[in-house]
Amino acid sequence: AARAGAQAPVPPEAPRPPGAGIAIGALGWAAGDVERAELPQKSSWRRLVAGDKLRTGDTFRTSEDATARLDFPWMTVTLGASTLLTIPSSTVLSTVLEQGRAEFAGPGRDIVKIRVGDGEVRGGGRLVLRRSVGRTSATALEGAFRVRFAGRTVEIKGGQGTVVMDGRPPEAPTPLPAAPRGLQPGKDPVYVRAGQPVELRWTAGGPSHRVEILALRTDEVLLAREVGAPPLRVEIPGLGTYRWRVSTRDARGLESPPSADGLICSVDK
């Protein structure tokens, strides 16, 4: 018989998969599918859910229209749609953006080293990297970052960006595009019935845009869409009041800072 007042035993942690690395973070949020290549061969993929541990050696991919937030003690990484990112099994901790869009946010002077293409990025603040065939675009929203490719280093600060073509050094820092304006709905929230799409409008500032739906009191991106010209019709993920914002992306892949917030209230009737 159990002794009176004895505490229930703590269940042991599930054993690591064969060849799995060291746990260094967790999946904080996912809208759409985010998968991890299963070790050690990485020949199959498993869908992750919020709370799953992230380990050195992991490779992640997101589905079309997916958004996923990876939480580490020193930074967060928000993955966009159709993105592929790896945490190598190495003594020097780094991440490798192989394709797609990733936003890195960390308060320190130097967040983890980011490898992309044939170069690397180091720094602290908020950084958006986009990787497409033959080109890397780096957008510094806050802080400062050093972008090193082909033996040359360029520093970009908040409000600046640079573009790198494979095999070439980074271009000189350039100001980011202006944030879009004229959001509808804006500061006065629009009410929409749950399950029904809401139409979002703004003044177009470039050839393409990124629209984000966020929680009211946090910066969690619950839903994101890459679109061309407005408007965008989108279904809100649940009941309650949400913020939305939009960024412009120019032809080279540099993003503007996000716009001011608009408000949406999703109700059941």
Side-chain angles (χ1 to χ4, degrees):
R3 290 177 300 171
Q7 295 182 350
V10 177
E13 181 181 349
R16 280 196 232 169
I22 300 170
I24 56 173
L27 178 64
W29 169 264
D33 288 342
V34 54
E35 298 177 311
R36 174 171 55 202
E38 291 297 273
L39 295 167
Q41 290 85 9
K42 291 192 175 184
S43 57
S44 62
W45 295 82
R46 182 176 73 84
R47 186 173 184 270
L48 299 181
V49 297
D52 281 349
K53 291 185 177 180
L54 314 178
R55 301 180 183 274
T56 55
D58 283 347
T59 294
F60 309 97
R61 70 181 181 186
T62 58
S63 61
E64 295 182 3
D65 291 335
T67 300
R69 192 187 76 243
L70 313 182
D71 292 338
F72 303 98
W74 59 92
M75 71 172 180
T76 61
V77 182
T78 302
L79 304 181
S82 303
T83 294
L84 191 66
L85 181 133
T86 294
I87 305 172
S89 297
S90 62
T91 55
V92 178
L93 194 59
S94 64
T95 59
V96 180
L97 178 62
E98 300 180 51
Q99 70 177 43
R101 179 191 188 274
E103 180 173 339
F104 301 82
R109 180 178 177 183
D110 271 346
I111 61 176
V112 69
K113 178 173 70 174
I114 306 161
R115 291 162 45 194
V116 55
D118 56 0
E120 69 175 46
V121 182
R122 288 178 180 264
R126 286 180 59 211
L127 172 77
V128 174
L129 286 179
R130 285 183 179 267
R131 176 67 181 163
S132 57
V133 178
R135 181 174 69 188
T136 300
S137 302
T139 296
L141 297 175
E142 299 173 4
F145 295 86
R146 301 181 303 280
V147 182
R148 183 173 179 80
F149 285 75
R152 180 186 176 193
T153 300
V154 166
E155 184 178 54
I156 54 174
K157 298 181 179 180
Q160 296 179 326
T162 184
V163 176
V164 187
M165 305 303 295
D166 283 0
R168 300 181 185 178
E171 297 179 6
T174 184
L176 301 180
R181 307 173 70 99
L183 273 65
Q184 300 178 19
K187 292 182 179 179
D188 295 326
V190 66
Y191 289 83
V192 60
R193 183 174 296 177
Q196 298 297 314
V198 59
E199 185 171 278
L200 307 178
R201 292 182 173 272
W202 63 93
T203 301
S208 56
H209 301 83
R210 176 179 173 83
V211 176
E212 296 179 339
I213 307 296
L214 303 96
L216 180 62
R217 302 188 185 281
T218 73
D219 284 333
E220 288 186 359
V221 177
L222 306 179
L223 182 150
R225 294 289 183 268
E226 303 275 349
V227 299
L232 170 68
R233 291 175 61 83
V234 63
E235 186 175 325
I236 303 303
L239 296 176
T241 302
Y242 298 85
R243 298 180 294 134
W244 78 281
R245 63 190 184 191
V246 57
S247 302
T248 292
R249 177 160 52 97
D250 67 17
R252 301 187 304 159
L254 296 180
E255 293 188 16
S256 74
S259 66
D261 293 338
L263 295 174
I264 305 166
C265 188
S266 176
V267 297
D268 59 0
K269 60 179 179 180

